[in-house]
Amino acid sequence: MSRFLAMLLDSAARSSRGMTTGEPKEPVRRTWPEVHATARRMAAALRAGTADLPGLEHGPAVGVLAAEPVSIAPAAQAVWLCGGSVTMLHQPTARTDLAAWAEDTLSVLRMIDARLVLLGAPFDALAPVLTERGVPFRTLDGLAEGEGDIDPDADVAGEDDTALLQLTSGSTAEPKAVRITHRNLFANLSGMVEASRLDIERDVMVSWLPLFHDMGMVGFLTVPMTTGLELVTVTPADFLTRPLLWAELISKYGGTVTAAPNFAYAVLGRQLARADEGSLDLSTLRIALNGAEPIDPDAVEAFTSAGAKFGLRPESVL
């Protein structure tokens, strides 16, 4: 068994920490063992297959099209428990041409040789598009309702098996898939834990990052899920609808670690400048990672200056 899977299973068995989703309307906290229990049911359903779809065997690539972290976390685990690799598919927006998106998605699925797409909210309505194009899929809700179980100790993946096929953004060329092995993933998350001095006992990660980008999928889902860190996570749509929510979650949950591209800090800085003094507490934040885009010093300065009245320490920005 790979070290990555062994660490994931250890957290699943022993961690008292977990992930909070559903903010701001219906926050729900699930411990990592509870997330893993769902993953095992989903894995059993994937392994069993259906009358129309064969069961998932060792090694296949599986595309995931969903936005809600509450369903993506156990789905990714389920694929890994079956020995498969996960590819988070690029998500359509309200302005997306669905015909063009379907063609691009078919190209990606052919490129990674995907055997299956796992479809979840809010993209369930795209099921007819996938059916029309002959793309086999299963819904995340349907998998989670299964009653089976799977042996979590089965040696389904070694160090050099593929864990993630991470798509490039496609902003400068046709999207490519970067192969990330279990060995790569373990080294990457171990390096992040060490460099960030992550403390399982006290750190709380807060994120709205999209999970089809590696900053979100690896840094702010796989790392806390595998190491057993507390996580508060919402969707990019939640942030874009109300950017101040990001700071409110850090304040409410005592967030210590967060990350985002430069533009988001610029947006939040403007929101903080208008917020009432004393309405937020950002003093717990020790890491605010700014990356994935060119960094604008003026935006950083505006963010730290506006955040100072809420206890934000400028040295937290990296």
Side-chain angles (χ1 to χ4, degrees):
M1 179 182 294
S2 72
R3 291 171 293 170
F4 165 65
L5 265 183
M7 183 184 287
L8 181 67
L9 293 174
D10 183 65
S11 290
R14 300 194 300 169
S15 179
S16 61
R17 287 158 180 78
M19 65 186 299
T20 298
T21 59
E23 284 279 9
K25 296 179 181 177
E26 297 179 353
V28 176
R29 183 179 181 274
R30 295 168 178 81
T31 65
W32 293 123
E34 288 172 335
V35 172
H36 184 67
T38 302
R40 285 168 57 168
R41 293 195 302 272
M42 296 174 82
L46 285 172
R47 182 66 59 82
T50 67
D52 301 321
L53 292 172
L56 198 64
E57 298 297 335
H58 177 270
V62 176
V64 178
L65 181 61
E68 299 293 341
V70 68
S71 57
I72 293 172
Q77 285 195 30
V79 173
W80 290 325
L81 288 170
C82 290
S85 67
V86 174
T87 297
M88 296 300 301
L89 298 174
H90 291 163
Q91 299 173 358
T93 69
R95 299 180 180 180
T96 299
D97 180 330
L98 285 184
W101 172 84
E103 288 303 320
D104 291 344
T105 301
L106 282 174
S107 297
V108 166
L109 294 174
R110 286 192 294 267
M111 175 179 64
I112 66 175
D113 192 23
R115 309 292 175 82
L116 184 67
V117 170
L118 303 184
L119 190 63
F123 303 115
D124 312 69
L126 293 173
V129 178
L130 297 179
T131 299
E132 179 185 342
R133 304 295 173 124
V135 177
F137 68 91
R138 298 188 67 177
T139 64
L140 295 181
D141 285 347
L143 291 174
E145 291 168 0
E147 297 181 354
D149 200 352
I150 197 168
D151 180 5
D153 297 318
D155 189 8
V156 295
E159 296 291 348
D160 295 316
D161 286 322
T162 304
L164 288 170
L165 285 168
Q166 174 65 52
L167 298 180
T168 59
S169 67
S171 57
T172 58
E174 290 295 316
K176 301 175 179 64
V178 180
R179 179 175 178 264
I180 300 172
T181 66
H182 283 248
R183 186 191 308 277
N184 297 150
L185 196 52
F186 181 80
N188 188 219
L189 67 89
S190 298
M192 285 191 279
V193 167
E194 180 179 353
S196 304
R197 299 193 178 110
L198 293 179
D199 184 338
I200 292 171
E201 298 301 320
R202 73 178 186 90
D203 275 324
V204 177
M205 305 182 87
V206 177
S207 177
W208 54 265
L209 295 169
L211 298 182
F212 55 87
H213 288 166
D214 60 317
M215 182 186 274
M217 182 62 187
V218 177
F220 283 81
L221 183 63
T222 305
V223 166
M225 184 164 64
T226 305
T227 61
L229 277 161
E230 193 70 23
L231 171 68
V232 180
T233 179
V234 295
T235 69
D238 295 320
F239 165 71
L240 293 171
T241 301
R242 192 165 182 273
L244 196 61
L245 174 65
W246 184 17
E248 290 171 345
L249 295 178
I250 293 169
S251 179
K252 178 179 178 178
Y253 291 95
T256 62
V257 180
T258 195
N262 182 85
F263 87 88
Y265 288 103
V267 170
L268 185 57
R270 292 193 292 271
Q271 296 284 318
L272 292 175
R274 295 194 292 266
D276 294 335
E277 191 165 353
S279 60
L280 297 165
D281 179 6
L282 303 181
S283 64
T284 58
L285 197 60
R286 69 180 188 86
I287 293 178
L289 181 66
N290 185 332
E293 287 180 351
I295 295 167
D296 177 6
D298 291 338
V300 174
E301 173 63 28
F303 168 67
T304 55
S305 295
K309 66 181 179 181
F310 304 111
L312 176 70
R313 291 169 293 136
E315 63 269 24
S316 67
V317 179
L318 308 177

